[in-house]
Amino acid sequence: ARVTKLDPDQLVLMVDTDLGIACNEKEIVESYRSISQDSGARIVFSAESCVMGCNERCDEIPKVPKWVTTHDPQFKDVRQFMHLEDGVELDGPVHINSLNSGGIIAPAALMLRMYKKVIEVFEWDAGRDLPTDQHLYYYYWLNNTQLVTLDYQMKIFSNLCDMDTDRLLDKTKDGSVMNNLSRRKTCIIHFNAESKQNAESVSRIFGEKTWNILEPVTQPDPVSSPSG
């Protein structure tokens, strides 16, 4: 059924289709509330590293905010979890600090306000300088850092661009997926960029389920749709 009206505070989750869901709705909402409480922001984008060509605006990215390292003192350099081509070396630490538009969660009213602004910028730019939708969201984030934050700790989203899936993720006995970087179970696994080609790792995580359908690894508990 088509949704025609939402409560302004109702949480909305927007995701790409090249992903798998490894938790239930209640866990996603709890993780969102944790991020929002720690950061003070109400729009949360998924996050990834900013190397190896996944993004083009690395020089403009805000530094990892203090609330992340305050609540997660072991916030890690991710190089040990990355997939690097032979001969490639990275100069200095790498963090999950770059916006990825393949996952967004926010109250409906704020989501709508953001989309209106993004469309306005797109129509003004006419595609000349912002070649992808991700660049449009970057523009919004960089101009609204009090309202928008990233899932730096991968509490909700695990983006696999540049990452070694076998090092980063493990499937637990209860069917959940453990993110070894964030040291916690992850909810949404996004097989973006070249990670789509890693069929063996996808099969290891999801078994017979394919990665491009929105089905949970374990059946979610029935929960109502709580507001933000």
Side-chain angles (χ1 to χ4, degrees):
R2 181 178 179 180
V3 176
T4 57
K5 186 176 181 180
L6 289 173
D7 184 282
D9 290 328
Q10 176 69 44
L11 281 181
V12 176
L13 174 67
M14 300 290 290
V15 295
D16 283 353
T17 58
D18 50 349
L19 53 78
I21 296 182
C23 69
N24 59 44
E25 179 183 351
K26 182 179 179 181
E27 292 170 311
I28 293 174
V29 171
E30 288 175 348
S31 293
Y32 165 80
R33 287 177 172 164
S34 173
I35 297 168
S36 182
Q37 181 177 350
D38 290 345
S39 66
R42 300 194 67 197
I43 299 176
V44 178
F45 278 84
S46 65
E48 62 189 358
S49 63
C50 195
V51 295
M52 303 290 286
C54 289
N55 293 285
E56 300 169 6
R57 303 186 66 176
C58 297
D59 58 330
E60 300 180 25
I61 292 176
K63 294 181 180 180
V64 176
K66 290 183 179 180
W67 66 263
V68 176
T69 52
T70 298
H71 290 88
D72 188 1
Q74 299 182 44
F75 188 68
K76 292 183 178 179
D77 178 351
V78 304
R79 284 177 292 179
Q80 64 177 303
F81 297 100
M82 296 183 70
H83 172 73
L84 300 176
E85 297 180 3
D86 292 342
V88 173
E89 296 184 4
L90 299 176
D91 182 17
V94 176
H95 294 112
I96 302 299
N97 66 339
S98 179
L99 179 148
N100 179 278
S101 61
I104 317 168
I105 183 169
L110 293 180
M111 186 82 81
L112 179 60
R113 185 191 308 171
M114 176 178 67
Y115 280 134
K116 286 181 177 178
K117 185 62 177 179
V118 164
I119 291 171
E120 177 184 317
V121 172
F122 175 76
E123 291 176 343
W124 170 80
D125 180 78
R128 289 186 294 270
D129 300 316
L130 299 171
T132 71
D133 66 327
Q134 186 147 297
H135 290 76
L136 295 168
Y137 291 119
Y138 259 100
Y139 174 88
Y140 192 82
W141 172 38
L142 296 176
N143 287 278
N144 296 275
T145 54
Q146 298 301 311
L147 180 63
V148 181
T149 193
L150 309 185
D151 183 13
Y152 295 96
Q153 299 157 292
M154 294 186 172
K155 289 184 176 181
I156 303 173
F157 308 99
S158 289
N159 287 297
L160 301 186
C161 177
D162 291 336
M163 307 306 288
D164 185 319
T165 308
D166 289 320
R167 296 179 188 174
L168 184 68
L169 302 177
D170 279 317
K171 188 174 180 180
T172 63
K173 291 182 179 179
D174 66 358
S176 302
V177 178
M178 180 66 66
N179 184 305
N180 295 318
L181 171 62
S182 62
R183 308 173 306 283
R184 55 173 56 91
K185 293 179 181 179
T186 194
C187 287
I188 297 172
I189 299 131
H190 185 196
F191 295 94
N192 55 325
E194 80 288 339
S195 64
K196 293 180 180 66
Q197 303 172 16
N198 199 341
E200 291 184 4
S201 293
V202 173
S203 177
R204 178 180 63 81
I205 297 170
F206 290 100
E208 297 300 318
K209 294 183 180 294
T210 55
W211 54 263
N212 59 346
I213 56 175
L214 299 182
E215 292 186 6
V217 177
T218 54
Q219 292 297 318
D221 298 326
V223 294
S224 59
S225 297
S227 64

